[in-house]
Amino acid sequence: MAKDKTIYTCNECGGISPKWLGKCPHCNAWNTLIESVAVAESAVKNRYSASFQALAKTSEITVLADIDATDVDRTPTGHEELDRVLGGGIVAGGVVLIGGDPGIGKSTLLLQALDSLQRAGQNTLYVTGEESGAQVALRSRRLGLERSQVKVMAEIQLEKILATLEAHQPDVAVIDSIQTVYSDQLTSAPGSVAQVRECAAHLTRAAKTSGTAIVLVGHVTKEGALAGPRVLEHMVDTVLYFEGDTHSQFRLVRAIKNRFGAVNEIGVFAMTEKGLKGVSNPSAIFLSQHSEPVPGSCVMVTLEGTRPMLVEIQALVDSGGPSPRRLSVGLDKDRLAMLLAVLHRHAGVACMDQDVFVNAVGGVRISEPAADLAVLLAITSSLRGKPLPKGFIAFGEVGLAGEVRPAPRGQERLKEAAKLGFSVAVVPKANAPKKAIEGMTIHAVDRVEQAMEIVRGSPEVQGGAGKPRLHTASAARSMVSSNS
Ligand code: TYD
Ligand code: MG
C-alpha cells in the first residue's frame, strides 16, 4: 500500500520520481529527492479546492479601513522572560517552534510554562516522544511542580496525536519533539526532512482549525540547515532559538521570527536546581568579573530586540605564523576581517602578522554592527597591552571609509550604561545626547582615528590607579564625583 502512496520530489526543480535516486532525472541535481505523499491525479486538482470553496462562500471583499483591527489575545505563560520573546504570551491557534541544542533546557522550560498555564486555568497537553511519562513526571517533581495537572501523552505517531488533539481540544499543546513524530503515510524514518515537514504541516493545520496553540520542539542537528527545525521556519508563526553556552548557567532564548511580536527579542534564563528562572536584569551577566580593567576588553551596549544590554567584547592579539588566524565567537567573522582592514588603513594599526581572537562574553551572539567600535577598541587595547579605562563603554558602526556611524536608539543605550555605573563613553557623533547624562563623560566621534586618539591620549578618559574596584553603580558614581 505504502508503495503507490509515496513519491520522491526534487527540492530544486519539483520533478517527480517514483523511487529514490541519488541524482534527479529532471535537473541532474544530486541528493535533492525527498519523499512525499503522492496524491492521485484527479485529487491533485481537488486537494484544497473543497476548503477553498468553503472559504470563498464565507469571505467577501472588504475595504481595509472597515476591518476591525483587534489585537490578538495573548495568554501570558507566567514566565516573564518567555512572554517577552513570545510578544506577550501564547496566541490561540498560533504555532511556535522552539529550537536548540540537546540538553539546553527546551523540555524544562516548556514543562514549567505548561504547568503555569494549567494553574491559570488553561487546558494543556504535553506530548512526549523522547521520554516516557515517568521521566516527565520525575522532571516535574524535580522542578517542584507538585500535583501538576498538566496532561501527558507519550506518543510519536502523528495520526494518534491529531486524534487526541481533536478529542481533547487543549488550549495549549507541546510536541516534544517534532523530530520524533512520524506519519504512517510516509516510509522514511522519523526525523527525516520529509517526515518533519509533513508532520509539522498537519499539526499547523490542526492548530489553525481548532484554535489550539501548538509549540513544536526541534533539535538543531549538527548539519544544521536540513533535517533540523530550519525547514519549518516558514510554516510557523513564531520561531524561538535557545542560544548561549550549555556550560554556563545562563540560557538565552531569541525570537528569530514572530508574527505576533518583535524579532530579535531576547529572554534570559538561569538554569538552577529547580529549572529555568528568568533573569530580569541581564546586563551584569555578560560582563566578566575583573576587579581591575584588563587589556583587550571593551564593554558595549547592544540593543537586540527592545532591551539594551551591556556585553563585554574581549580580544586577544598575539603573534601568529605565516598565515595568522582570525577567529570570532559570538560576532561575525567576515566583519572582523573588515574591521581589521579599516583599523590598518585609517588608524594605522597593523595586525597582519598577528592572530586575532574576539569573543562576546557569556555566549551571547551579537549580530548588530553597533559592536564594531567596541571590537576595534578591544583589539587595539590587546595589541598595546593597555587596558581601557575603568567604567568605559563604546558602541557604533564602523564603515569602510573609517567613519563611525550612529547606532539606533543611542540614548537608551547610554542611559542603561549610566544606570549600571559606567562613566566614560565613546559614541558616534549622532548618538551624543543634547543634554548631559549625569555621571557620564561622553566623547562623540565620527572617525575611527578620533576614537583611537581619545583612548590613547585624553587624560579624562584615562582611568587611574586607586580607583574603586568594582563596576558597581555606587563605586562608579563615587569615582565620578571624585573626578569632578
Ligand atoms: P532538557 O530540558 O532536558 O533539555 P532539552 O529538552 O533541550 O534537551 O534539559 C536538561 C538539562 O538541564 C540537563 O542537563 C539537566 C539540567 N537541569 C537542571 O540543571 N535543573 C533542572 O531543574 C532540570 C529539570 C534540568
Ligand atoms: Mg528534551
Side-chain angles (χ1 to χ4, degrees):
M1 188 177 81
K3 205 175 168 195
D4 53 22
K5 266 191 165 172
T6 62
I7 50 165
Y8 292 82
T9 317
C10 175
N11 261 345
E12 300 277 334
C13 69
I16 290 167
S17 158
K19 60 180 202 290
W20 190 83
L21 296 166
K23 185 176 170 185
C24 171
H26 307 279
C27 68
N28 295 334
W30 288 95
N31 261 334
T32 53
L33 291 186
I34 304 267
E35 189 187 25
S36 54
V37 187
V39 191
E41 195 62 33
S42 59
V44 171
K45 271 188 236 136
N46 295 326
R47 191 170 177 191
Y48 298 112
S49 62
S51 47
F52 281 158
Q53 262 159 19
L55 282 175
K57 254 181 263 154
T58 53
S59 56
E60 66 233 31
I61 297 174
T62 327
V63 178
L64 203 47
D66 295 344
I67 302 176
D68 267 348
T70 45
D71 201 14
V72 278
D73 261 348
R74 296 153 211 270
T75 316
T77 61
H79 296 262
E80 210 178 296
E81 292 294 298
L82 182 60
D83 289 338
R84 171 194 293 280
V85 284
L86 285 171
I90 295 265
V91 176
V95 182
V96 179
L97 171 69
I98 180 157
D101 292 336
I104 202 155
K106 302 181 291 296
S107 308
T108 306
L109 179 62
L110 291 173
L111 196 58
Q112 285 178 288
L114 276 194
D115 185 70
S116 312
L117 284 166
Q118 180 76 42
R119 280 169 210 265
Q122 299 270 308
N123 183 10
T124 60
L125 175 68
Y126 183 85
V127 181
T128 166
E130 306 202 326
E131 294 160 305
S132 65
Q135 280 171 307
V136 177
L138 205 63
R139 173 179 293 131
S140 79
R141 304 287 189 283
R142 185 172 170 195
L143 294 172
L145 310 177
E146 300 302 330
R147 315 174 73 91
S148 176
Q149 299 299 306
V150 174
K151 296 192 190 76
V152 179
M153 175 170 73
E155 182 56 67
I156 57 171
Q157 204 204 322
L158 176 72
E159 287 72 19
K160 286 191 190 151
I161 295 173
L162 288 174
T164 312
L165 287 177
E166 177 99 33
H168 287 263
Q169 296 280 335
D171 298 311
V172 187
V174 169
I175 313 290
D176 189 0
S177 66
I178 187 70
Q179 269 110 347
T180 55
V181 180
Y182 77 97
S183 163
D184 262 352
Q185 305 287 310
L186 299 175
T187 52
S188 45
S192 63
V193 179
Q195 286 282 12
V196 166
R197 212 155 50 184
E198 187 72 13
C199 293
H202 278 288
L203 287 165
T204 308
R205 223 167 294 151
K208 300 291 170 213
T209 49
S210 67
T212 299
I214 292 188
V215 182
L216 303 173
V217 176
H219 290 291
V220 176
T221 54
K222 276 263 165 2
E223 302 81 48
L226 265 189
R230 306 226 111 188
V231 292
L232 308 178
E233 281 178 0
H234 66 281
M235 282 186 214
V236 300
D237 299 309
T238 305
V239 179
L240 307 180
Y241 277 111
F242 266 96
E243 56 185 57
D245 202 345
T246 342
H247 305 294
S248 93
Q249 187 199 359
F250 297 105
R251 305 282 191 270
L252 307 177
V253 178
R254 189 192 292 260
I256 300 292
K257 159 182 173 178
N258 198 346
R259 287 187 185 147
F260 310 117
V263 287
N264 267 334
E265 198 67 83
I266 297 181
V268 185
F269 298 89
M271 182 60 96
T272 67
E273 271 308 295
K274 293 211 148 193
L276 289 162
K277 295 246 157 36
V279 179
S280 50
N281 180 14
S283 270
I285 65 179
F286 302 117
L287 305 177
S288 51
Q289 259 79 59
H290 313 298
S291 52
E292 283 298 323
V294 294
S297 152
C298 181
V299 177
M300 73 161 295
V301 192
T302 169
L303 225 165
E304 305 262 354
T306 56
R307 174 168 58 178
M309 278 196 302
L310 282 100
V311 178
E312 179 179 335
I313 308 288
Q314 294 185 329
L316 179 66
V317 182
D318 198 20
S319 58
S323 52
R325 299 206 287 163
R326 277 91 179 77
L327 252 166
S328 64
V329 180
L331 293 149
D332 186 16
K333 192 159 160 248
D334 295 336
R335 199 134 190 119
L336 172 62
M338 188 198 99
L339 289 174
L340 287 174
V342 172
L343 193 62
H344 182 213
R345 187 62 176 271
H346 297 286
V349 180
C351 309
M352 277 92 97
D353 52 352
Q354 309 278 325
D355 283 342
V356 180
F357 305 99
V358 283
N359 174 33
V361 170
V364 65
R365 226 168 297 163
I366 301 174
S367 49
E368 59 164 6
D372 292 353
L373 200 53
V375 171
L376 283 188
L377 292 174
I379 290 173
T380 37
S381 159
S382 172
L383 193 65
R384 297 190 304 141
K386 288 237 174 77
L388 290 164
K390 195 159 216 167
F392 179 90
I393 63 136
F395 60 83
E397 180 181 347
V398 171
L400 283 180
E403 81 277 23
V404 176
R405 296 201 209 110
R409 302 181 22 223
Q411 307 286 314
E412 269 171 68
R413 297 180 200 241
L414 283 170
K415 281 200 188 116
E416 175 76 7
K419 203 170 81 192
L420 287 161
F422 285 79
S423 52
V424 187
V426 171
V427 300
K429 216 162 225 158
N431 285 139
K434 298 202 175 55
K435 227 168 65 201
I437 293 179
E438 204 202 330
M440 195 172 237
T441 316
I442 293 166
H443 300 272
V445 296
D446 54 9
R447 307 263 335 146
V448 177
E449 306 88 285
Q450 291 170 342
M452 299 293 153
E453 207 50 54
I454 285 170
V455 287
R456 216 177 283 147
S458 158
E460 78 255 40
V461 184
Q462 297 303 316
K467 294 280 193 254
R469 310 200 97 222
L470 276 172
H471 276 319
T472 60
S474 59
R477 238 174 263 131
S478 70
M479 172 174 127
V480 172
S481 54
S482 73
N483 273 352
S484 54

